Coordinates of all heavy atoms in Angstrom, one line a residue:
D1 N -48.0 -82.9 -120.5 CA -48.7 -83.4 -119.2 C -48.5 -84.9 -119.1 O -48.3 -85.5 -118.0 CB -50.1 -83.0 -119.2 CG -50.3 -81.5 -119.0 OD1 -49.4 -80.9 -118.5 OD2 -51.4 -81.0 -119.3
D2 N -48.7 -85.6 -120.2 CA -48.6 -87.1 -120.2 C -47.1 -87.5 -119.8 O -46.9 -88.6 -119.3 CB -48.9 -87.7 -121.6 CG -50.4 -87.6 -121.9 OD1 -51.2 -87.4 -120.9 OD2 -50.8 -87.7 -123.1
E3 N -46.2 -86.7 -120.1 CA -44.8 -87.0 -119.8 C -44.4 -86.6 -118.3 O -43.3 -86.7 -117.9 CB -43.8 -86.2 -120.7 CG -43.9 -86.7 -122.2 CD -43.4 -88.1 -122.3 OE1 -42.3 -88.4 -121.7 OE2 -44.0 -89.0 -122.9
G4 N -45.4 -86.1 -117.6 CA -45.2 -85.8 -116.2 C -44.8 -84.3 -115.9 O -44.5 -84.0 -114.8
H5 N -44.9 -83.5 -116.9 CA -44.6 -82.1 -116.8 C -45.9 -81.3 -116.5 O -47.0 -81.8 -116.6 CB -43.9 -81.5 -118.0 CG -42.6 -82.3 -118.4 ND1 -41.6 -82.5 -117.5 CD2 -42.3 -82.9 -119.5 CE1 -40.6 -83.1 -118.1 NE2 -41.0 -83.5 -119.3
S6 N -45.7 -80.0 -116.1 CA -46.8 -79.1 -115.9 C -46.7 -78.1 -117.0 O -45.8 -77.3 -117.1 CB -46.7 -78.5 -114.5 OG -47.7 -77.5 -114.4
A7 N -47.7 -78.0 -117.9 CA -47.7 -77.1 -119.1 C -48.7 -76.0 -118.9 O -49.9 -76.2 -118.6 CB -48.0 -77.9 -120.3
A8 N -48.3 -74.7 -119.0 CA -49.1 -73.6 -119.1 C -49.3 -73.2 -120.6 O -48.3 -73.1 -121.3 CB -48.5 -72.4 -118.3
K9 N -50.5 -73.0 -121.0 CA -50.8 -72.8 -122.4 C -51.4 -71.4 -122.7 O -52.4 -71.0 -122.1 CB -51.8 -73.8 -122.9 CG -51.2 -75.2 -122.9 CD -52.3 -76.3 -122.9 CE -53.0 -76.4 -121.5 NZ -53.9 -77.5 -121.4
I10 N -50.6 -70.6 -123.5 CA -51.0 -69.2 -123.7 C -51.0 -68.9 -125.2 O -50.2 -69.4 -126.0 CB -49.9 -68.2 -123.0 CG1 -49.9 -68.4 -121.5 CG2 -50.2 -66.8 -123.4 CD1 -51.2 -68.0 -120.9
G11 N -52.0 -68.0 -125.6 CA -52.1 -67.8 -127.1 C -51.8 -66.3 -127.4 O -51.9 -66.0 -128.6
H12 N -51.4 -65.5 -126.5 CA -51.2 -64.1 -126.8 C -49.8 -63.6 -126.2 O -49.4 -64.1 -125.1 CB -52.3 -63.2 -126.2 CG -52.3 -61.8 -126.6 ND1 -51.6 -60.8 -126.0 CD2 -52.9 -61.2 -127.7 CE1 -51.8 -59.7 -126.6 NE2 -52.6 -59.9 -127.7
A13 N -49.1 -62.7 -126.9 CA -47.8 -62.3 -126.5 C -47.8 -61.7 -125.1 O -46.9 -62.0 -124.3 CB -47.2 -61.4 -127.5
Q14 N -48.7 -60.7 -124.8 CA -48.6 -60.0 -123.6 C -48.9 -61.0 -122.4 O -48.3 -60.9 -121.3 CB -49.6 -58.9 -123.5 CG -49.5 -58.0 -122.3 CD -48.1 -57.4 -122.3 OE1 -47.6 -56.8 -123.2 NE2 -47.4 -57.5 -121.1
E15 N -49.8 -61.9 -122.6 CA -50.1 -62.9 -121.6 C -48.8 -63.8 -121.3 O -48.5 -64.1 -120.1 CB -51.2 -63.8 -122.0 CG -52.6 -63.1 -122.1 CD -53.7 -64.1 -122.6 OE1 -53.3 -65.1 -123.2 OE2 -54.8 -63.7 -122.4
A16 N -48.1 -64.1 -122.3 CA -46.8 -64.9 -122.2 C -45.8 -64.1 -121.4 O -45.2 -64.6 -120.5 CB -46.3 -65.2 -123.6
I17 N -45.6 -62.8 -121.8 CA -44.7 -61.9 -121.0 C -45.0 -61.8 -119.6 O -44.2 -61.9 -118.7 CB -44.6 -60.5 -121.7 CG1 -44.1 -60.6 -123.1 CG2 -43.8 -59.5 -120.8 CD1 -42.6 -61.1 -123.2
D18 N -46.3 -61.6 -119.3 CA -46.8 -61.4 -117.9 C -46.5 -62.7 -117.1 O -46.0 -62.7 -116.0 CB -48.3 -61.1 -117.8 CG -48.6 -59.7 -118.4 OD1 -47.6 -58.9 -118.5 OD2 -49.7 -59.5 -118.7
L19 N -46.7 -63.9 -117.7 CA -46.6 -65.1 -117.0 C -45.1 -65.4 -116.8 O -44.7 -66.0 -115.7 CB -47.2 -66.3 -117.9 CG -47.6 -67.5 -117.1 CD1 -48.5 -67.2 -115.9 CD2 -48.4 -68.5 -118.0
V20 N -44.2 -65.1 -117.7 CA -42.8 -65.3 -117.6 C -42.3 -64.4 -116.4 O -41.4 -64.9 -115.6 CB -42.0 -64.9 -118.9 CG1 -40.5 -64.8 -118.6 CG2 -42.3 -66.0 -119.9
E21 N -42.8 -63.2 -116.2 CA -42.4 -62.4 -115.1 C -42.9 -62.9 -113.8 O -42.3 -62.7 -112.8 CB -43.0 -61.0 -115.3 CG -42.4 -60.2 -116.5 CD -40.9 -59.8 -116.3 OE1 -40.4 -60.0 -115.1 OE2 -40.3 -59.3 -117.2
Q22 N -44.1 -63.6 -113.8 CA -44.7 -64.0 -112.5 C -44.3 -65.4 -112.1 O -44.4 -65.7 -110.9 CB -46.2 -63.9 -112.7 CG -46.8 -62.6 -112.9 CD -48.2 -62.6 -113.4 OE1 -48.9 -63.6 -113.4 NE2 -48.7 -61.4 -113.8
T23 N -43.9 -66.3 -113.0 CA -43.6 -67.7 -112.7 C -42.2 -68.1 -113.2 O -41.7 -67.6 -114.2 CB -44.7 -68.5 -113.5 OG1 -46.0 -68.0 -113.2 CG2 -44.6 -70.0 -113.0
T24 N -41.7 -69.0 -112.4 CA -40.4 -69.6 -112.8 C -40.6 -70.8 -113.7 O -41.1 -71.8 -113.2 CB -39.5 -69.9 -111.6 OG1 -39.3 -68.8 -110.8 CG2 -38.2 -70.5 -112.0
F25 N -40.2 -70.7 -115.0 CA -40.4 -71.8 -115.9 C -39.0 -72.5 -116.1 O -38.0 -71.8 -116.0 CB -41.0 -71.3 -117.2 CG -42.4 -71.0 -117.1 CD1 -42.9 -69.7 -117.1 CD2 -43.4 -72.0 -117.1 CE1 -44.2 -69.3 -117.0 CE2 -44.8 -71.7 -117.0 CZ -45.2 -70.3 -117.0
D26 N -39.1 -73.8 -116.5 CA -37.9 -74.5 -116.9 C -37.7 -74.5 -118.4 O -36.6 -74.7 -118.9 CB -38.0 -75.9 -116.4 CG -38.1 -76.0 -114.9 OD1 -37.1 -75.7 -114.2 OD2 -39.2 -76.5 -114.4
L27 N -38.7 -74.2 -119.2 CA -38.6 -74.2 -120.6 C -39.8 -73.4 -121.2 O -40.9 -73.4 -120.7 CB -38.7 -75.6 -121.1 CG -38.8 -75.9 -122.6 CD1 -37.5 -75.4 -123.4 CD2 -39.0 -77.4 -123.0
V28 N -39.6 -72.7 -122.3 CA -40.6 -72.1 -123.1 C -40.6 -72.6 -124.5 O -39.6 -72.7 -125.2 CB -40.4 -70.5 -123.2 CG1 -41.5 -69.9 -124.1 CG2 -40.5 -69.9 -121.8
I29 N -41.8 -73.1 -125.0 CA -42.0 -73.5 -126.4 C -42.8 -72.4 -127.1 O -43.9 -72.1 -126.7 CB -42.7 -74.9 -126.5 CG1 -41.9 -75.9 -125.7 CG2 -42.9 -75.3 -127.9 CD1 -42.5 -77.3 -125.7
L30 N -42.2 -71.8 -128.1 CA -42.7 -70.5 -128.6 C -42.9 -70.5 -130.1 O -42.0 -70.8 -130.8 CB -41.7 -69.4 -128.2 CG -41.9 -68.0 -128.7 CD1 -43.2 -67.4 -128.1 CD2 -40.7 -67.1 -128.2
D31 N -44.1 -70.1 -130.5 CA -44.4 -70.1 -132.0 C -43.8 -68.8 -132.5 O -43.7 -67.8 -131.9 CB -45.9 -70.1 -132.2 CG -46.3 -70.3 -133.6 OD1 -45.4 -70.6 -134.4 OD2 -47.5 -70.1 -134.0
I32 N -43.3 -68.9 -133.8 CA -42.8 -67.7 -134.5 C -43.8 -66.6 -134.7 O -43.6 -65.4 -134.4 CB -42.1 -68.1 -135.8 CG1 -40.8 -68.8 -135.6 CG2 -41.9 -66.9 -136.7 CD1 -39.7 -67.9 -135.2
W33 N -45.0 -67.0 -135.2 CA -46.0 -66.0 -135.6 C -47.2 -66.1 -134.5 O -47.7 -67.2 -134.3 CB -46.6 -66.3 -137.0 CG -45.5 -66.2 -138.0 CD1 -45.1 -67.2 -138.9 CD2 -44.7 -65.1 -138.4 NE1 -44.2 -66.8 -139.7 CE2 -43.9 -65.4 -139.4 CE3 -44.7 -63.7 -137.9 CZ2 -43.0 -64.6 -140.0 CZ3 -43.8 -62.9 -138.5 CH2 -42.9 -63.3 -139.5
L34 N -47.6 -65.0 -134.0 CA -48.7 -64.9 -133.1 C -49.6 -63.9 -133.6 O -49.4 -62.6 -133.5 CB -48.2 -64.5 -131.7 CG -47.2 -65.5 -131.0 CD1 -46.6 -64.9 -129.7 CD2 -47.9 -66.8 -130.7

């Protein structure tokens, strides 16, 4: 956010999948273990 981007923050796999389907993102930063 400080760099001028808009960050969506998710902690669960299904929420991430749902958001990817609903929103057009430019980048995903993804943890290996959830």
